[in-house]
Amino acid sequence: MASDAVANLADSLAKTQVDEGELSYKGQGLKLDNAQSVEKMVKEIEEFDGLRALRLEGNTIGVEAAQTIAKALETKSDLQCCHWSDMFTGRLRAEIPPALVSLGDALITAGARLKVLDLSDNAFGPDGVKGIEKLLKSAACHTLQELRLNNCGMGIGGGKILAAALTVCHKESSALGAPLQLKVFIAGRNRLENDGATALAHAFQLIGSLEEVHMPQNGINHQGVTALATAMEHNPQLRVLNLNDNTFTKRGAIAMAQALKHLRNVQVINFGDCLVRSEGASAIAETLKEGLPILKELNLSFGEITEEAALEVARSVQHKDQLKRLDLNGNSLGEEGCENLKEVMESMNMGDKLGSLSDDEGEPEEDEDEEEDEDDDDEDVEEEEEEEVEEEEEEEGEGEEEKSELNQFSTPPSAPRTPDVSSFLSFPSPDKLLRLGAKRSSLIQQQVDVLDVSKTAEAFLKISSVYKEDDAELKSAVLESIDAVLSKAFLTPSFQGLSFVSSLLVMLGLLKSEDKLKPVKVVPGHLQCLEHAVKQSYFPREHITVLNAFMARPNKSLEVCSSARDRLKSTLQKLTPES
């Protein structure tokens, strides 16, 4: 009898994982559609005295189920932590806001004082942010310390709503004598872009208590980065700053370097894949010499940094006693530059702190340096043009107050400027591709000169580099663009198909070139899109045989994409005609 009781208790604990006031249904894959489906859960919530944390992540919850759970939460005033990430899988986007409103209203009714709110991986868009707007403004969030909204697809609009809600929360809590002390903010992969990031920066500047900020992959350019830099200056306890995979360029990097001079508690900086460039890296190195005394990790990888600037960065960390890792991989040092960097680090007895340099892009050609200068000049021109457009719109608006609402708001001054195709192909990003609109595939097709096989291969790799298997909208946009370019190419009588395949193999590092074609850093998207292309009717069967032969050979450049490589190899083998 006793053993049976112990077994039953263990089974119950395994299912709900009760731990110091926590009730967890994490990762159970429950499909909760209606009141009946949550009867047991509701009973357990109601009977749980002193409930402080509720984990619902990894299940899928419908509107009626959420409303029923919410009713049970209306008496749970001790609730502090809501771990509610990934709980709307398979739901219509329209279902998510009312579900969030119900749960939020319950927390307000209960008089809960939250410390942690995690709604990551719910892909609810701007409407989802509206669903939590009331909660964020309420007293329930006056005590909030961690807000996690990673991969929610908020967009610019959602970012602005979120920023406004946090601002209200801080002002109202301050008026009561206990201002909001938000410590952790996580909002990666949300397409916030400059306007969304700038709105949040204003809120961050007001809050002033942030210790961790994670905003990778948001399509933020130097304007947004500069706004965030200003905000970070007003958060003296900042320890972790992760802005990976945004586009600083030298202007954003210099602004951020200036802001970091005012911060003494930063331990982790991740500006990898941010195009900080040499001048930006030099500015950061200058800051490192005098500031950031307890820095532990610095990531400046894939930033188009040349040898001289990289060596400046290395020398600037000499007296950082707590440094554990310096990442300068994927820059433009060249073989000799990589060796010089290693020597400098070893001469300071810090050789073990330097990360791998295996993906170095090699020394830049002279024309690449010129292109970099031109890009920075283009930024200045674009900014001036945007300012002129805004001034013109303001002047025109003065005498047209009686225009219809539709006309007034069809092209608001704050709307992000639509990028052109050349901008996307020069510096591809998911946001730039999606912002090209519904006609993106035809626009890209017109831009690419398919009579030049090298340019066609390069365009294929640029487009496929932003491919994400788990982002349906982006996946569709990439594959449509790939099909548009390659179908036009292969259906053009004068197109040299075999030369195209050869160029592609060279750029993927599978074939040595007698020309100056340089291999790219291979990412899974390259191979996943190639697998898609070879299955299309436009792709000649005879070229599949060539690809299959090269893919069958072992190659180090593809090891980082082993899963995508194996899938491509399998597909090629199936499609290769038997001899």
Side-chain angles (χ1 to χ4, degrees), residues 100-274:
L100 290 172
V101 168
S102 298
L103 293 167
D105 285 349
L107 297 175
I108 295 170
T109 301
R113 293 294 181 266
L114 296 184
K115 289 185 178 179
V116 178
L117 179 60
D118 185 356
L119 289 165
S120 298
D121 301 316
N122 279 313
F124 46 50
D127 289 340
V129 185
K130 291 178 183 176
I132 59 171
E133 183 180 10
K134 181 181 175 183
L135 172 63
L136 289 172
K137 290 179 178 179
S138 75
C141 285
H142 286 184
T143 50
L144 195 64
Q145 295 179 10
E146 297 184 18
L147 180 57
R148 300 170 181 266
L149 296 168
N150 201 56
N151 192 30
C152 288
M154 290 190 288
I156 295 171
K160 289 182 175 181
I161 295 167
L162 176 61
L166 290 174
T167 300
V168 169
C169 184
H170 183 268
K171 287 182 177 178
E172 294 190 356
S173 59
S174 297
L176 295 172
L180 171 68
Q181 294 287 301
L182 188 66
K183 295 180 180 179
V184 177
F185 180 84
I186 300 176
R189 297 188 66 189
N190 271 292
R191 299 177 190 152
L192 295 169
E193 300 183 23
N194 288 334
D195 287 355
T198 299
L200 284 166
H202 292 152
F204 295 162
Q205 185 168 334
L206 184 68
I207 292 168
S209 57
L210 288 165
E211 296 180 10
E212 292 188 30
V213 175
H214 302 261
M215 297 174 67
Q217 292 187 356
N218 270 298
I220 306 170
N221 297 330
H222 72 84
Q223 297 97 326
V225 172
T226 300
L228 287 170
T230 302
M232 293 306 106
E233 284 186 39
H234 294 80
N235 287 266
Q237 299 306 313
L238 188 70
R239 294 184 294 105
V240 178
L241 182 57
N242 175 9
L243 295 175
N244 185 280
D245 201 7
N246 289 292
T247 309
F248 283 37
T249 62
K250 70 178 184 183
R251 296 178 66 180
I254 290 170
M256 193 59 75
Q258 291 298 317
L260 290 171
K261 288 181 178 180
H262 301 272
L263 302 169
R264 307 290 294 175
N265 294 300
V266 175
Q267 298 177 22
V268 178
I269 295 173
N270 186 345
F271 296 161
D273 212 7
C274 283

Side-chain angles (χ1 to χ4, degrees), residues 308-376:
E308 184 178 350
L311 293 176
E312 285 181 53
V313 172
R315 294 187 183 105
S316 71
V317 301
Q318 182 173 5
H319 300 296
K320 305 301 176 195
D321 298 335
Q322 297 187 37
L323 189 74
K324 294 180 179 178
R325 180 176 176 80
L326 173 62
D327 191 346
L328 287 165
N329 196 19
N331 284 298
S332 304
L333 311 184
E335 189 173 340
E336 186 178 343
C338 288
E339 289 303 316
N340 291 339
L341 179 59
K342 290 175 184 176
E343 286 178 11
V344 167
M345 292 296 288
E346 286 168 4
S347 71
M348 301 186 298
N349 294 319
M350 301 179 78
D352 59 330
K353 313 298 183 189
L354 182 63
S356 169
L357 298 172
S358 60
D359 293 316
D360 188 74
E361 297 285 350
E363 293 182 60
E365 303 288 339
E366 284 186 17
D367 56 343
E368 288 181 14
D369 290 334
E370 290 172 7
E371 284 175 13
E372 180 177 319
D373 294 335
E374 287 172 6
D375 291 333
D376 290 324

Side-chain angles (χ1 to χ4, degrees), residues 6-40:
V6 171
N8 290 336
L9 178 60
D11 182 58
S12 177
L13 287 173
K15 288 180 179 177
T16 58
Q17 301 168 38
V18 181
D19 180 24
E20 296 185 3
E22 178 182 288
L23 183 58
S24 176
Y25 300 91
K26 181 179 179 179
Q28 293 188 17
L30 303 174
K31 191 172 188 295
L32 308 172
D33 296 320
N34 49 40
Q36 185 178 0
S37 66
V38 294
E39 279 181 0
K40 183 180 177 184

